[in-house]
Amino acid sequence: MAKESIKARERKREKMVARYAAKRAALKEQVRKGTPEEVEAAVIALQKLPKNALPVRLHNRCQLTGRPKGYMRQFGISRINFREMAISGLIPGVKKASW
C-alpha cells in the first residue's frame, strides 16, 4: 500500500495538470505558429508554469492499492491485484496459464 501522503500528492498533481492544460496548449500553439517575438515570449511563459503542471510528472498507480510498479493500463490495477482477481474469477475470460 502506498502512503496516503503520496496518493494525495498524485491527486494534487492531477488537478494541477488539468488546471494548466488549456494554458499550456495555447502557449505551445504560439510556439509552433507565432512570430519570433511571440515564440520567445511563449517559451518564457511556458518555463514559468509550475513544474508539477507537466503531464510527464504524473505516475500511474493501482486504483486499489496505490502501487506504482507493475501497473496494467488496460485494467487500471497492478499485476498483483490483477492476478488475485483473475484467480478468484472476478475478471472474466482470463485463464491461468503458468503464472
Side-chain angles (χ1 to χ4, degrees):
M1 292 286 296
K3 289 183 180 179
E4 279 302 315
S5 60
I6 293 174
K7 290 187 216 177
R9 187 183 320 154
E10 283 293 323
R11 287 190 296 269
K12 185 177 177 183
R13 282 185 183 154
E14 288 172 3
K15 289 178 188 175
M16 190 172 284
V17 167
R19 187 181 329 143
Y20 286 99
K23 187 173 187 178
R24 179 175 298 282
L27 288 172
K28 285 193 169 252
E29 189 64 28
Q30 271 188 339
V31 168
R32 274 189 235 112
K33 296 185 177 180
T35 63
E37 295 82 22
E38 290 174 345
V39 169
E40 185 177 348
V43 167
I44 291 171
L46 273 170
Q47 290 174 351
K48 289 186 179 181
L49 291 177
K51 288 195 185 290
N52 281 335
L54 287 167
V56 175
R57 293 182 68 118
L58 292 178
H59 204 282
N60 292 326
R61 291 187 173 272
C62 175
Q63 293 175 355
L64 302 174
T65 60
R67 179 182 167 87
K69 296 181 180 178
Y71 178 80
M72 299 178 77
R73 191 175 297 223
Q74 184 177 0
F75 298 96
I77 56 176
S78 68
R79 62 178 178 80
I80 296 169
N81 284 332
F82 176 82
R83 183 170 191 241
E84 289 172 358
M85 291 173 75
I87 288 173
S88 62
L90 296 174
I91 302 175
V94 178
K95 293 181 183 177
K96 183 177 182 298
S98 62
W99 43 269

